[in-house]
Amino acid sequence: MLKQCLAIMRREVFYLWRDKGLRHILLFGSLVGLLLFYAIYSAQVLKDIPTAVVDLDNSGASRELVDKIGKAEYLKLVASVASYDDLQELIKQGKAVVGVVIPENFARDVALGRQTRVLAVIDGSNMIYATNASAALLTVTRTISAQAGVSALVARGVQLQQAKEAYQAIDFSEEPWFNPALNYAYFLVFALALNIWQQCCTLAACLNVIGERGMKSWLQIKASGISKFRFFASKSIAQVFIFMAIVLPLYILAFGVFKLPLNCSWPSFLLFTLAFAIAIHSIGTLASSFARNAVDAARFGMIIALPSFVLSGYTWPLEAMPYYLQRIARILPQTWFFQGLNYFAFKNAGWNLMSHYILAMLAVAAVCYGAAAIFIARS
């Protein structure tokens, strides 16, 4: 029986390798994706965010403020315009992402210790730019506001040191954990590459059953006396083995060459990946078992695989989604994999949490394989 299973597995590897198009997709799809995404996000954080200023006061104090904005770490002063309308046009044309409007009488109000309102405009049409610009502006405004407050107290006769202490009575320190540099590349690049890998694997798994039914050799296999269960189980083992083999170069490139974070042990992470490979293979096998042809099977698989990354909660929290979408997301193995990926790669959350995610994916696999077995038995 073992020899028979090994023969079926060798046959499956041969057929997958012989399909040139599928072979290239499996071998190079996720690797090309990793290289592409790493190149795109290699800057790690957004710098030199285009900023324009409208100075309606034209005083020494306002010019000093403009100078401080121009020297801010993540902002780049690209224009100084005369009116609010001119600023609006710059942002419409995409020439500026951030706009700062300094009001009239700015210097007078600061000198008298009055509250003055400086308008900060952010182009919200690009959320990535908007989020980073907002954080950069917040840092600048905190510093400038504190300096203005200290100057106002000094003008009223308060000693400089006392004025500084008044604004530093509560010192809030910010300390990001697990991704200290807030590196966007660490957070997104690896997940996007693995998303391509899971889609390619799902596509291959969708041929597991229907790919045999469409071949003339299927009648010979049925006549040979090999049980359907043993035949397709052997094929499945071979395919899962291939899925794991093609993800290993991706892992070596990501963790060894690009030095992306991996804080859990290699065996644990590979076991976690194996559970996911089995789960997505089970989905493809189920789609393949009731599809009318290979094209239909691929469609069913892609309908699940393509939106699953968005539904996984990796780029947008599950808790912020409508309740019915949360319920749907939790039955998809992609949700458990991409949620767990963040925990294990960054945090090394421990075996107790990892086992929960692994068991959830294996439960999905058991249900899908069981349903596929019923469809296969009736064929």
Side-chain angles (χ1 to χ4, degrees), residues 91 96-99 121-131 133-134:
I91 294 177
V97 175
V98 174
V121 180
I122 298 174
D123 182 359
S125 63
N126 185 319
M127 289 302 297
I128 303 300
Y129 248 139
T131 303
S134 179

Side-chain angles (χ1 to χ4, degrees), residues 21 80 142-143 224 275 279 287 296 349:
S80 182
R142 281 176 177 172
T143 303
S224 67
D296 273 353

Side-chain angles (χ1 to χ4, degrees), residues 6-22:
L6 290 174
I8 296 170
M9 292 167 66
R10 285 195 297 269
R11 171 184 177 274
E12 182 63 18
V13 172
F14 170 75
Y15 277 129
L16 286 176
W17 183 261
R18 191 178 64 175
D19 189 331
K20 188 176 180 179
L22 184 59

Side-chain angles (χ1 to χ4, degrees), residues 245-327:
I246 63 176
V247 83
L248 285 177
L250 183 68
Y251 284 175
I252 292 170
L253 187 61
F255 302 130
V257 179
F258 294 153
K259 304 300 181 182
L260 299 182
L262 178 65
N263 291 310
C264 67
S265 66
W266 269 95
S268 298
F269 195 69
L270 290 176
L271 180 62
F272 174 65
T273 307
L274 176 62
F276 180 57
I278 293 171
I280 57 175
H281 183 271
S282 71
I283 291 175
T285 300
L286 176 59
S288 184
S289 66
F290 62 76
R292 292 173 297 178
N293 51 55
V295 174
D296 273 353
R299 287 171 179 166
F300 292 142
M302 288 299 100
I303 286 172
I304 296 173
L306 286 174
S308 61
F309 182 66
V310 178
L311 285 172
S312 70
Y314 194 87
T315 58
W316 186 257
L318 278 175
E319 295 77 13
M321 297 181 189
Y323 181 72
Y324 69 92
L325 284 181
Q326 293 182 39
R327 303 293 290 180

Side-chain angles (χ1 to χ4, degrees), residues 61 64 68 106-114 143-167:
E64 184 182 352
K68 289 176 180 177
F106 171 79
R108 185 194 67 185
D109 291 341
V110 170
L112 295 174
R114 296 175 181 172
T143 303
I144 293 173
S145 178
Q147 290 174 348
V150 169
S151 298
L153 289 177
V154 170
R156 293 178 181 178
V158 179
Q159 293 293 324
L160 177 61
Q161 187 59 35
Q162 291 178 326
K164 288 181 178 180
E165 289 175 356
Y167 272 87

Side-chain angles (χ1 to χ4, degrees), residues 87-110:
L87 175 63
Q88 189 175 47
E89 192 61 31
L90 275 180
I91 294 177
K92 277 184 178 180
Q93 294 174 7
K95 295 179 180 179
V97 175
V98 174
V100 178
V101 182
I102 303 173
E104 296 176 346
N105 302 320
F106 171 79
R108 185 194 67 185
D109 291 341
V110 170

Side-chain angles (χ1 to χ4, degrees), residues 2 17 40 50 57 83 97 112 142 146 179 201 251 266 357 373:
L2 179 60
W17 183 261
I40 291 171
D57 193 45
S83 68
V97 175
L112 295 174
R142 281 176 177 172
N179 186 8
C201 292
Y251 284 175
W266 269 95
Y357 281 76

